[in-house]
Amino acid sequence: MAATTVWFIIIAFLWTGYFFLEGFDFGVGVLLPALGRNEAERSVVLGTIGPVWDGNEVWFIVAGAATFAAFPEWYATLFSGFYLPLLAILLALIVRAVALEYRGKRDDASWRRRWERALFWGSLVPAFLWGVAFANLVRGVPLNAAHEYAGTVADLINPYALLGGAATLALFVLHGAVFVALKTTGEVRRRAGRIARLAVAAAIVVGGAYLLLTQLLYGKPVTWPAVAAAALALAGAALANARGREGWAFAGTGAAIVLAVVTMFLALFPHVMPSTIAAANGLTTANAAASPYTLKIMMIVALAITPMVLLYQGWTYWVFRRRIGVPHAPQQPHTPQPVR
């Protein structure tokens, strides 16, 4: 297998891990106003992601760094053509991070409400725009013969891309609702389960429409099994949630997200950024890659570091594996950290 193909798979793996882990963070942020009816409940909801959200964002950083090093021309063209959407995502992630850290710094209800609104928008915007961005990658964008973006921001706002944004938002909201139900007790758990029953219907309709359209327009024979498996995973998540089996429901929503990302990357390969002007103008794993020596050195570093990162993050989830509820909520607001 060519080194460029291996690195395409690695980058696909990193983005898949990011959407699986950060997806429920986004969902929790969007659902905070609906899940938390008072200060104690909101502290519980935020406590579900308090120990892990910053570790989940590392996957995004590593995916971006790997793209820059392995496929520098892809990185350059992507950030020049998608400049405004990616800037909006980065600003939203910054606002979200600050909101999570600053919400509990003052014992002031209006202060907390402002940061909770910031957290809501800081979660909703990237949850939607990531879907728009990846849908445009699959669809293709106007690239000229020099592999430079020749379009405008308006070219990125098309029905297929907007459907992709709605699909990721629906999937992440469902993923977040199921995660909160899995990690909490009492009324918050029951409320999250009820919201998940509504969210799964939206995810099946919107997400299913997007994956089916992707398969019909840009798919390959190899992507049909992934699309079918994603549909089965969502159906399984709906059934498990209805029966109160949150662990299986979370496995189902996670599998649906993973399979959706796999479908997009399989549909994309061997391109990394197709051109809608002329097929020859598109960026592929071959013409966008770094030198073979660079890819070799990066492979050695990745093989050395990745297992340690996975072990550390797995240990973090194991340590904070227990459910939390209102009795565990702090009496005075502070940066959310659940009690084990």
Side-chain angles (χ1 to χ4, degrees), residues 115-146:
W115 285 117
E116 287 165 5
R117 286 193 292 270
L119 175 60
F120 172 83
W121 290 108
S123 301
L124 186 147
V125 169
F128 178 76
L129 288 183
W130 277 130
V132 172
F134 272 83
N136 274 299
L137 283 180
V138 174
R139 175 179 178 269
V141 293
L143 300 181
N144 60 26

CSV table of all heavy atoms in Angstrom, one decimal, residues 115-146:
chain,number,residue,atom,x,y,z
A,115,TRP,N,-22.8,32.9,29.7
A,115,TRP,CA,-21.8,31.9,29.3
A,115,TRP,C,-22.5,30.6,28.8
A,115,TRP,O,-22.0,29.9,27.9
A,115,TRP,CB,-20.8,31.5,30.4
A,115,TRP,CG,-19.8,32.6,30.6
A,115,TRP,CD1,-19.6,33.3,31.7
A,115,TRP,CD2,-18.9,33.1,29.7
A,115,TRP,NE1,-18.6,34.3,31.5
A,115,TRP,CE2,-18.1,34.1,30.3
A,115,TRP,CE3,-18.5,32.7,28.3
A,115,TRP,CZ2,-17.1,34.8,29.6
A,115,TRP,CZ3,-17.5,33.4,27.7
A,115,TRP,CH2,-16.8,34.4,28.3
A,116,GLU,N,-23.7,30.3,29.3
A,116,GLU,CA,-24.4,29.2,28.8
A,116,GLU,C,-24.9,29.4,27.4
A,116,GLU,O,-24.9,28.5,26.5
A,116,GLU,CB,-25.6,28.8,29.7
A,116,GLU,CG,-25.1,28.2,31.0
A,116,GLU,CD,-26.2,28.2,32.1
A,116,GLU,OE1,-27.3,28.6,31.8
A,116,GLU,OE2,-25.9,27.8,33.2
A,117,ARG,N,-25.3,30.7,27.1
A,117,ARG,CA,-25.7,31.0,25.7
A,117,ARG,C,-24.5,30.9,24.8
A,117,ARG,O,-24.6,30.5,23.6
A,117,ARG,CB,-26.3,32.4,25.7
A,117,ARG,CG,-27.8,32.5,26.2
A,117,ARG,CD,-28.4,33.8,25.9
A,117,ARG,NE,-27.8,34.9,26.6
A,117,ARG,CZ,-28.2,35.4,27.8
A,117,ARG,NH1,-29.2,34.8,28.4
A,117,ARG,NH2,-27.6,36.4,28.3
A,118,ALA,N,-23.4,31.4,25.3
A,118,ALA,CA,-22.1,31.3,24.5
A,118,ALA,C,-21.8,29.8,24.2
A,118,ALA,O,-21.4,29.4,23.1
A,118,ALA,CB,-21.0,32.0,25.2
A,119,LEU,N,-22.0,29.0,25.2
A,119,LEU,CA,-21.7,27.5,25.0
A,119,LEU,C,-22.7,26.9,24.0
A,119,LEU,O,-22.3,26.1,23.2
A,119,LEU,CB,-21.9,26.8,26.4
A,119,LEU,CG,-21.7,25.3,26.3
A,119,LEU,CD1,-20.4,24.9,25.8
A,119,LEU,CD2,-22.0,24.7,27.7
A,120,PHE,N,-23.9,27.3,24.0
A,120,PHE,CA,-24.9,26.8,23.1
A,120,PHE,C,-24.5,27.2,21.6
A,120,PHE,O,-24.4,26.3,20.8
A,120,PHE,CB,-26.3,27.5,23.4
A,120,PHE,CG,-27.3,27.2,22.3
A,120,PHE,CD1,-28.0,26.0,22.4
A,120,PHE,CD2,-27.6,28.1,21.3
A,120,PHE,CE1,-29.0,25.7,21.4
A,120,PHE,CE2,-28.6,27.8,20.4
A,120,PHE,CZ,-29.3,26.6,20.4
A,121,TRP,N,-24.2,28.4,21.4
A,121,TRP,CA,-23.8,28.8,20.0
A,121,TRP,C,-22.4,28.3,19.7
A,121,TRP,O,-22.2,27.9,18.5
A,121,TRP,CB,-23.8,30.3,19.9
A,121,TRP,CG,-25.2,30.9,19.9
A,121,TRP,CD1,-25.9,31.6,20.9
A,121,TRP,CD2,-26.2,30.7,18.8
A,121,TRP,NE1,-27.2,31.8,20.5
A,121,TRP,CE2,-27.4,31.3,19.3
A,121,TRP,CE3,-26.2,30.1,17.6
A,121,TRP,CZ2,-28.6,31.4,18.5
A,121,TRP,CZ3,-27.4,30.1,16.8
A,121,TRP,CH2,-28.5,30.7,17.3
A,122,GLY,N,-21.5,28.2,20.6
A,122,GLY,CA,-20.2,27.7,20.4
A,122,GLY,C,-20.2,26.2,20.1
A,122,GLY,O,-19.2,25.6,19.6
A,123,SER,N,-21.3,25.5,20.4
A,123,SER,CA,-21.5,24.1,20.1
A,123,SER,C,-22.3,23.9,18.8
A,123,SER,O,-22.0,23.0,18.0
A,123,SER,CB,-22.2,23.4,21.2
A,123,SER,OG,-21.5,23.5,22.4
A,124,LEU,N,-23.3,24.7,18.6
A,124,LEU,CA,-24.2,24.6,17.4
A,124,LEU,C,-23.5,24.9,16.1
A,124,LEU,O,-23.6,24.2,15.1
A,124,LEU,CB,-25.4,25.4,17.6
A,124,LEU,CG,-26.5,25.3,16.6
A,124,LEU,CD1,-27.9,25.4,17.2
A,124,LEU,CD2,-26.4,26.3,15.4
A,125,VAL,N,-22.7,26.0,16.2
A,125,VAL,CA,-22.1,26.5,14.9
A,125,VAL,C,-21.1,25.5,14.3
A,125,VAL,O,-21.2,25.1,13.2
A,125,VAL,CB,-21.4,27.9,15.2
A,125,VAL,CG1,-20.5,28.2,14.0
A,125,VAL,CG2,-22.4,28.9,15.4
A,126,PRO,N,-20.2,24.9,15.1
A,126,PRO,CA,-19.3,23.9,14.5
A,126,PRO,C,-20.0,22.6,14.2
A,126,PRO,O,-19.6,22.0,13.2
A,126,PRO,CB,-18.2,23.7,15.6
A,126,PRO,CG,-18.7,24.2,16.8
A,126,PRO,CD,-19.7,25.3,16.5
A,127,ALA,N,-21.0,22.2,15.0
A,127,ALA,CA,-21.7,21.0,14.7
A,127,ALA,C,-22.4,21.1,13.3
A,127,ALA,O,-22.4,20.1,12.6
A,127,ALA,CB,-22.8,20.8,15.8
A,128,PHE,N,-22.8,22.3,12.9
A,128,PHE,CA,-23.5,22.5,11.6
A,128,PHE,C,-22.4,22.7,10.5
A,128,PHE,O,-22.5,22.1,9.4
A,128,PHE,CB,-24.4,23.7,11.7
A,128,PHE,CG,-25.1,24.0,10.3
A,128,PHE,CD1,-26.1,23.2,9.9
A,128,PHE,CD2,-24.6,25.1,9.6
A,128,PHE,CE1,-26.7,23.5,8.7
A,128,PHE,CE2,-25.2,25.4,8.4
A,128,PHE,CZ,-26.3,24.6,7.9
A,129,LEU,N,-21.4,23.5,10.8
A,129,LEU,CA,-20.5,23.9,9.7
A,129,LEU,C,-19.5,22.8,9.4
A,129,LEU,O,-19.0,22.7,8.2
A,129,LEU,CB,-19.7,25.2,10.1
A,129,LEU,CG,-20.5,26.5,10.1
A,129,LEU,CD1,-19.6,27.6,10.5
A,129,LEU,CD2,-21.1,26.7,8.8
A,130,TRP,N,-19.2,21.9,10.3
A,130,TRP,CA,-18.4,20.7,9.9
A,130,TRP,C,-19.1,19.9,8.9
A,130,TRP,O,-18.4,19.4,7.9
A,130,TRP,CB,-18.0,19.9,11.1
A,130,TRP,CG,-16.9,20.4,12.0
A,130,TRP,CD1,-16.9,20.5,13.3
A,130,TRP,CD2,-15.6,20.7,11.5
A,130,TRP,NE1,-15.6,21.0,13.7
A,130,TRP,CE2,-14.8,21.1,12.7
A,130,TRP,CE3,-15.0,20.7,10.3
A,130,TRP,CZ2,-13.5,21.5,12.6
A,130,TRP,CZ3,-13.6,21.1,10.2
A,130,TRP,CH2,-12.9,21.5,11.3
A,131,GLY,N,-20.4,19.7,9.0
A,131,GLY,CA,-21.1,19.0,8.0
A,131,GLY,C,-21.1,19.7,6.6
A,131,GLY,O,-21.0,19.1,5.6
A,132,VAL,N,-21.2,21.0,6.7
A,132,VAL,CA,-21.2,21.8,5.4
A,132,VAL,C,-19.8,21.7,4.7
A,132,VAL,O,-19.7,21.5,3.5
A,132,VAL,CB,-21.5,23.3,5.7
A,132,VAL,CG1,-21.2,24.1,4.5
A,132,VAL,CG2,-22.9,23.5,6.2
A,133,ALA,N,-18.8,21.7,5.5
A,133,ALA,CA,-17.4,21.7,5.0
A,133,ALA,C,-17.2,20.3,4.4
A,133,ALA,O,-16.7,20.2,3.2
A,133,ALA,CB,-16.4,22.0,6.1
A,134,PHE,N,-17.5,19.2,5.1
A,134,PHE,CA,-17.2,17.9,4.5
A,134,PHE,C,-18.1,17.5,3.4
A,134,PHE,O,-17.7,16.8,2.5
A,134,PHE,CB,-17.3,16.9,5.6
A,134,PHE,CG,-16.0,16.7,6.4
A,134,PHE,CD1,-15.6,17.5,7.4
A,134,PHE,CD2,-15.1,15.7,6.0
A,134,PHE,CE1,-14.4,17.4,8.1
A,134,PHE,CE2,-13.9,15.5,6.7
A,134,PHE,CZ,-13.5,16.4,7.7
A,135,ALA,N,-19.3,18.0,3.4
A,135,ALA,CA,-20.2,17.8,2.2
A,135,ALA,C,-19.6,18.5,1.0
A,135,ALA,O,-19.7,17.9,-0.1
A,135,ALA,CB,-21.6,18.3,2.5
A,136,ASN,N,-19.0,19.6,1.1
A,136,ASN,CA,-18.4,20.3,0.0
A,136,ASN,C,-17.2,19.6,-0.5
A,136,ASN,O,-16.9,19.6,-1.7
A,136,ASN,CB,-18.1,21.8,0.3
A,136,ASN,CG,-19.3,22.7,0.1
A,136,ASN,OD1,-19.8,22.9,-1.0
A,136,ASN,ND2,-19.7,23.3,1.2
A,137,LEU,N,-16.4,19.0,0.4
A,137,LEU,CA,-15.3,18.2,0.0
A,137,LEU,C,-15.7,17.0,-0.9
A,137,LEU,O,-15.1,16.7,-1.9
A,137,LEU,CB,-14.5,17.7,1.2
A,137,LEU,CG,-13.6,18.7,2.0
A,137,LEU,CD1,-12.9,18.0,3.1
A,137,LEU,CD2,-12.6,19.3,1.0
A,138,VAL,N,-16.8,16.3,-0.4
A,138,VAL,CA,-17.3,15.2,-1.2
A,138,VAL,C,-17.8,15.6,-2.5
A,138,VAL,O,-17.6,15.0,-3.6
A,138,VAL,CB,-18.3,14.4,-0.4
A,138,VAL,CG1,-19.0,13.3,-1.2
A,138,VAL,CG2,-17.7,13.8,0.9
A,139,ARG,N,-18.6,16.7,-2.5
A,139,ARG,CA,-19.2,17.2,-3.8
A,139,ARG,C,-18.2,17.8,-4.7
A,139,ARG,O,-18.4,17.6,-6.0
A,139,ARG,CB,-20.2,18.3,-3.4
A,139,ARG,CG,-20.9,19.1,-4.5
A,139,ARG,CD,-21.9,20.1,-4.0
A,139,ARG,NE,-22.5,20.9,-5.0
A,139,ARG,CZ,-22.0,22.0,-5.5
A,139,ARG,NH1,-20.9,22.5,-5.0
A,139,ARG,NH2,-22.6,22.7,-6.5
A,140,GLY,N,-17.1,18.4,-4.2
A,140,GLY,CA,-16.2,19.1,-5.0
A,140,GLY,C,-16.4,20.6,-5.0
A,140,GLY,O,-17.5,21.1,-4.8
A,141,VAL,N,-15.3,21.3,-5.3
A,141,VAL,CA,-15.3,22.7,-5.3
A,141,VAL,C,-14.6,23.2,-6.5
A,141,VAL,O,-13.8,22.5,-7.1
A,141,VAL,CB,-14.6,23.3,-4.0
A,141,VAL,CG1,-15.5,23.0,-2.7
A,141,VAL,CG2,-13.2,22.8,-3.8
A,142,PRO,N,-14.8,24.5,-6.9
A,142,PRO,CA,-14.1,25.0,-8.1
A,142,PRO,C,-12.6,25.2,-7.9
A,142,PRO,O,-12.2,26.2,-7.2
A,142,PRO,CB,-14.8,26.3,-8.4
A,142,PRO,CG,-15.4,26.7,-7.1
A,142,PRO,CD,-15.8,25.5,-6.4
A,143,LEU,N,-11.8,24.3,-8.4
A,143,LEU,CA,-10.3,24.5,-8.4
A,143,LEU,C,-9.8,24.7,-9.8
A,143,LEU,O,-10.3,24.0,-10.7
A,143,LEU,CB,-9.7,23.2,-7.8
A,143,LEU,CG,-10.1,22.8,-6.4
A,143,LEU,CD1,-9.3,21.5,-6.0
A,143,LEU,CD2,-9.8,23.9,-5.4
A,144,ASN,N,-8.9,25.6,-9.9
A,144,ASN,CA,-8.3,25.9,-11.3
A,144,ASN,C,-7.2,25.0,-11.5
A,144,ASN,O,-6.9,24.1,-10.7
A,144,ASN,CB,-7.9,27.4,-11.4
A,144,ASN,CG,-6.9,27.8,-10.4
A,144,ASN,OD1,-6.1,27.0,-9.9
A,144,ASN,ND2,-6.9,29.1,-10.1
A,145,ALA,N,-6.5,25.2,-12.7
A,145,ALA,CA,-5.4,24.3,-13.0
A,145,ALA,C,-4.2,24.3,-12.1
A,145,ALA,O,-3.4,23.4,-12.0
A,145,ALA,CB,-4.9,24.6,-14.5
A,146,ALA,N,-4.1,25.4,-11.3
A,146,ALA,CA,-3.0,25.5,-10.3
A,146,ALA,C,-3.4,24.9,-9.0
A,146,ALA,O,-2.7,25.1,-8.0
A,146,ALA,CB,-2.6,27.0,-10.2
